[in-house]
Amino acid sequence: MPVVQVQRHAGARRHRTLYVASTLLASLIAVQAHGESPSRGGSQSSGSEQLAVQVNDDRMTISVAKVPQIYLYGTIDAGAAQRVQAMIQSRRIPPNSDIYLNSPGGDVAAGIALGRLFRAGNMTTHLGSPRKTARQPIVPKSSQCVNACAYAYAGGLFRWAPTGSDRFGAQPLPGTATPSTDAAAYLKDMGVDPQVFGAATSGEVTWLNADQMLANGLSNNGRLLPTAVNSPVSNVASISLTQVTREGEHRITLQCRPDGLTITAYYAIGADRARQMVARATHSYFEINDQPVTSGDRVSASAVDQSVVVSQPLALTQLNQLLSAHLMAAWLADRGGAVRYGFWMSLDPVRKDLRTYGNNCEYLAKQAGAKKG
């Protein structure tokens, strides 16, 4: 699903824009998570001392969320992972599903096994309570995930931070100040710092809010860290920045030559969608730190294969602006600029690579100057 934004006013900052597609999805998720509508086409299993499962794969869920929404709630018992694995093998829980967790914990080994199943299936983890059903007429309005549940949550490829009154608790194994060797190895495999789970002593729970979870990488809200590749320097220096998100893969390349810079964005959304978007766009532009990039050269947009490609020449004097930026974005505006499509990327995780790119550009400029001399 492409990122779609509606501007509230001219010059509105990225975090104050309204995400149309995300809002629709969030509305459905909120209704489901807080049990405010009956389940249609869902199925569930329950037990007094075992993890219960509710599968929501009805037409409305798939239409809006694009994937089934799976609710796991209650105590994580020793057999929970085996039951969920059987549902995965039967395709009752397909790859890329949204997993909603609400559990006070339980068997940590089973929680870790669940997390590995989620990662193997490229699934996304959230906190959330199941929908109301005839068999489950009353559901809690808030959710919690602690102990074994926290380890299961860490297995999500994309991990959404809790919202509202939902609570996430990191807790080391009983009797230890830090996670066991197996648990620590699992967290590292999932890309999570084990110290986040070892902050408490004597087995006490450390309750983390959304900002804390995002800051320490426990949550990523649908965006993996970007990666960078610097190409060997010939007559041009270039760097390619790639980020995998829940919506797809995005890429930005920067090229410098002695006569100037070029910034190019690749917004992969499918061939048909790319052609339609380019055809109706009123204009396209780049942003650095939420501000439009100014240049005397016109920005171009075209549909190439599966992507919208946006490109803009820049002066060499703007190199430092690119190298010191925290955010970079590429947008196509529609409906007179009221709606825009595109993506943004945080550059802090690739700061070292950007410095290397800058050094390569300087080396290239010196070579060009020496030749002229």
Side-chain angles (χ1 to χ4, degrees):
M1 182 184 297
V3 176
V4 184
Q5 295 188 336
V6 177
Q7 300 283 27
R8 290 184 177 176
H9 54 79
R13 294 177 64 84
R14 171 179 51 80
H15 64 276
R16 298 186 63 186
T17 55
L18 176 63
Y19 287 73
V20 175
S22 300
T23 301
L24 283 173
L25 178 56
S27 298
L28 179 64
I29 289 173
V31 169
Q32 294 167 341
H34 299 295
E36 296 172 0
S37 68
S39 174
R40 297 180 181 179
S43 67
Q44 65 181 34
S45 62
S46 62
S48 57
E49 294 298 331
Q50 70 176 28
L51 188 70
V53 182
Q54 182 186 93
V55 177
N56 296 321
D57 54 2
D58 53 282
R59 183 177 298 177
M60 178 177 291
T61 297
I62 300 302
S63 174
V64 178
K66 308 303 180 186
V67 295
Q69 296 182 326
I70 316 301
Y71 289 84
L72 305 182
Y73 55 101
T75 301
I76 297 178
D77 60 284
Q82 287 84 350
R83 295 195 305 278
V84 171
Q85 184 178 26
M87 298 180 73
I88 292 173
Q89 290 174 340
S90 68
R91 304 288 294 186
R92 191 71 183 93
I93 300 178
N96 304 308
S97 292
D98 277 323
I99 305 295
Y100 288 84
L101 298 165
N102 182 17
S103 171
D107 188 296
V108 172
I112 290 175
L114 283 169
R116 291 199 182 279
L117 289 174
F118 299 157
R119 183 58 61 90
N122 291 331
M123 298 182 191
T124 298
T125 50
H126 313 251
L127 271 62
S129 298
R131 299 182 190 180
K132 292 180 181 179
T133 67
R135 290 161 52 183
Q136 183 83 7
I138 300 175
V139 296
K141 292 186 176 181
S142 61
S143 306
Q144 69 170 351
C145 185
V146 67
N147 187 266
C149 178
Y151 287 93
Y153 168 90
L157 177 62
F158 301 112
R159 304 180 293 273
W160 247 263
T163 58
S165 58
D166 293 343
R167 303 179 71 203
F168 183 94
Q171 183 181 30
L173 296 179
T176 64
T178 57
S180 69
T181 302
D182 290 344
Y186 160 76
L187 291 173
K188 289 180 180 178
D189 288 345
M190 299 301 105
V192 175
D193 185 354
Q195 292 303 315
V196 176
F197 280 65
T201 59
S202 302
E204 295 179 358
V205 177
T206 299
W207 297 102
L208 303 173
N209 61 34
D211 290 339
Q212 291 170 325
M213 292 175 69
L214 286 168
N216 61 38
L218 184 55
S219 295
N220 56 39
N221 283 6
R223 308 177 66 84
L224 302 186
L225 292 177
T227 59
V229 175
N230 274 289
S231 299
V233 179
S234 55
N235 62 334
V236 60
S238 66
I239 185 172
S240 180
L241 311 175
T242 303
Q243 184 169 46
V244 177
T245 74
R246 186 70 191 272
E247 291 79 30
E249 183 176 288
H250 309 313
R251 182 159 51 97
I252 293 175
T253 62
L254 303 175
Q255 293 184 327
C256 68
R257 295 181 174 84
D259 59 345
L261 305 168
T262 302
I263 177 173
T264 305
Y266 299 84
Y267 182 32
I269 56 174
D272 292 340
R273 181 70 171 153
R275 286 193 296 269
Q276 294 169 4
M277 190 175 294
V278 170
R280 70 168 182 250
T282 56
H283 65 285
S284 54
Y285 59 100
F286 285 92
E287 282 185 342
I288 298 295
N289 295 336
D290 293 317
Q291 298 299 319
V293 176
T294 58
S295 173
D297 295 290
R298 186 174 182 273
V299 183
S300 64
S302 59
V304 180
D305 295 329
Q306 302 292 316
S307 302
V308 172
V309 179
V310 181
S311 186
Q312 181 176 13
L314 300 173
L316 280 172
T317 53
Q318 293 177 278
L319 177 61
N320 287 335
Q321 181 187 14
L322 297 177
L323 298 180
S324 62
H326 297 287
L327 293 173
M328 191 176 295
W331 303 108
L332 284 86
D334 191 6
R335 303 177 192 173
V339 177
R340 65 182 186 177
Y341 305 86
F343 67 92
W344 60 273
M345 186 182 297
S346 174
L347 301 182
D348 290 335
V350 293
R351 185 67 54 205
K352 183 183 297 185
D353 301 280
L354 284 170
R355 284 197 290 267
T356 299
Y357 166 72
N359 293 335
N360 290 342
C361 289
E362 292 178 1
Y363 172 77
L364 193 64
K366 289 179 182 178
Q367 275 194 326
K371 288 181 179 179
K372 287 181 179 180

